[in-house]
Amino acid sequence: DFNGDGDSTSADISYWKTNILDMELAALLGDTNNDGTVDTLDIDPFVLLLTNPAGYAAAFPGVDPLAVGDINLDTVVDTLDIDPFVALLTAGSLNGGAVPEPGSIVLLGLAGVAGFALVRRRK
């Protein structure tokens, strides 16, 4: 009995989905560093998740990559999640201030990771 009316009915399932499940998903979505907050500290782990899923799993054991990184909810963590991730970062005030172009930071991070990978392959 999730809604406290004394009966276990379909209303409890609706209550659970709306008030428990959706809130838990919303709290996790985009929190790629698993600190309980979606902020600019999630950018580097998000880039790691996109470019090196095994490295992400090693760095954040026990964190479900789909739960935190599948921002557009298409059951895949891929580049289509970048714009929705940026939207999550810019949706509200972070630490009381404006966020300086997180889309550019994500793209710069992706370019840096790609450049690093190229250098390692040449060695």
Side-chain angles (χ1 to χ4, degrees):
D1 179 35
F2 288 106
N3 64 2
D5 67 358
D7 294 320
S8 294
T9 63
S10 62
D12 292 305
I13 294 171
S14 295
Y15 180 89
W16 175 77
K17 183 190 177 311
T18 302
N19 295 299
I20 298 171
L21 180 63
D22 289 349
M23 287 173 42
E24 288 177 5
L25 289 175
L28 293 174
L29 199 59
D31 183 19
T32 55
N33 69 352
N34 200 34
D35 68 355
T37 306
V38 178
D39 56 20
T40 56
L41 297 176
D42 294 299
I43 294 172
D44 287 343
F46 181 74
V47 171
L48 181 62
L49 178 56
L50 284 174
T51 60
N52 184 355
Y56 180 83
F60 300 95
V63 176
D64 180 357
L66 285 176
V68 297
D70 181 22
I71 312 302
N72 67 353
L73 304 175
D74 66 354
T75 69
V76 179
V77 177
D78 58 15
T79 56
L80 296 176
D81 293 300
I82 294 173
D83 286 344
F85 177 71
V86 171
L88 277 177
L89 290 176
T90 59
S93 175
L94 301 174
N95 298 324
V99 178
E101 294 299 325
S104 299
I105 295 169
V106 170
L107 291 176
L108 181 62
L110 286 172
V113 170
F116 178 74
L118 285 173
V119 169
R120 284 193 62 187
R121 286 187 185 167
R122 289 185 183 169
K123 287 185 178 186

